[in-house]
Amino acid sequence: MSIDKEIVKDFVSESKILIEDLIDLLEGIEGDFSQVEKLAEYGNGVDRIMGGAKSLAMSAPTDHAVHLISDYTALCKAVGYKASQIQGNQSLFDVCVATLLDGSETLSTLLDRIDEPMAALKTTIPQAFIDRLRWVSGKFSDDVAMSVSAKGAASDQGKQKLKQNEIDDLLKKLGL
């Protein structure tokens, strides 16, 4: 299996633009709990990157970085969507925004180094981020949706939920 380097280059370029927008969004709502629902927009944006990575992964060797990026963005997406549903907990919101800011910056680094071996890329994901991600994901019950409707409210129709064990499985898959 071989992956088209030009398509990967385009994917990285488009993803980097999305990440800039996502970081701007996070910085714009940082400390403003009244904008908690905007974290669903973050989830939508990172979902677009995840979709591109998953598409590329279908034609990539199993050790290509797009597999790691696909799983990594799935975690960021889940935290973004779940955090968009926080009610009455400014502190958890603040931690989630900070975690997603760190996660977005690390995602940018992963994209910059997409041609490197996956084992080398895994070392660029800070342990402090993983620890915070585990802590944050543990704060959400399994009944909190990991996807939301276009309006930002949890949708009962086709609502997906990411249980804690699935988050742990993604972390294991990442080798973290």
Side-chain angles (χ1 to χ4, degrees):
M1 252 197 278
S2 169
I3 190 165
D4 185 316
K5 290 192 183 296
E6 198 58 39
I7 293 173
V8 171
K9 185 179 170 186
D10 290 344
F11 164 72
V12 168
S13 175
E14 290 177 31
S15 296
K16 297 283 277 184
I17 292 167
L18 277 170
I19 290 169
E20 285 178 29
D21 292 344
L22 295 173
I23 289 172
D24 287 347
L25 178 130
L26 292 170
E27 288 175 343
I29 66 171
E30 195 171 21
D32 185 357
F33 186 58
S34 69
Q35 298 191 60
V36 65
E37 288 184 1
K38 284 198 174 181
L39 286 171
E41 291 176 35
Y42 175 89
N44 287 334
V46 82
D47 186 32
R48 290 175 55 197
I49 297 170
M50 184 184 81
K54 284 187 180 289
S55 294
L56 282 174
M58 291 191 288
S59 63
T62 56
D63 63 343
H64 195 280
V66 292
H67 297 282
L68 176 76
I69 291 168
S70 172
D71 293 336
Y72 183 87
T73 52
L75 288 168
C76 292
K77 170 188 161 185
V79 171
Y81 282 146
K82 286 184 173 220
S84 74
Q85 300 166 66
I86 295 171
Q87 295 178 355
N89 192 337
Q90 169 87 38
S91 298
L92 180 57
F93 167 78
D94 291 341
V95 170
C96 289
V97 170
T99 300
L100 292 172
L101 274 166
D102 289 349
S104 298
E105 290 167 5
T106 299
L107 177 57
S108 184
T109 301
L110 293 174
L111 288 163
D112 287 339
R113 299 175 62 181
I114 198 165
D115 293 325
E116 294 182 25
M118 198 174 339
L121 281 184
K122 287 180 182 180
T123 65
T124 66
I125 302 172
Q127 186 60 45
F129 170 75
I130 298 306
D131 293 344
R132 215 172 335 137
L133 186 63
R134 278 199 172 103
W135 182 86
V136 163
S137 64
K139 295 297 175 192
F140 299 108
S141 63
D142 285 343
D143 64 341
V144 176
M146 66 164 257
S147 63
V148 293
S149 70
K151 292 180 191 167
S155 166
D156 287 335
Q157 184 179 343
K159 180 163 57 171
Q160 289 182 291
K161 297 176 181 176
L162 190 65
K163 296 186 179 352
Q164 184 60 44
N165 65 324
E166 293 172 291
I167 291 171
D168 292 340
D169 288 347
L170 274 173
L171 287 167
K172 281 182 198 152
K173 204 170 162 188
L174 289 171
L176 306 169

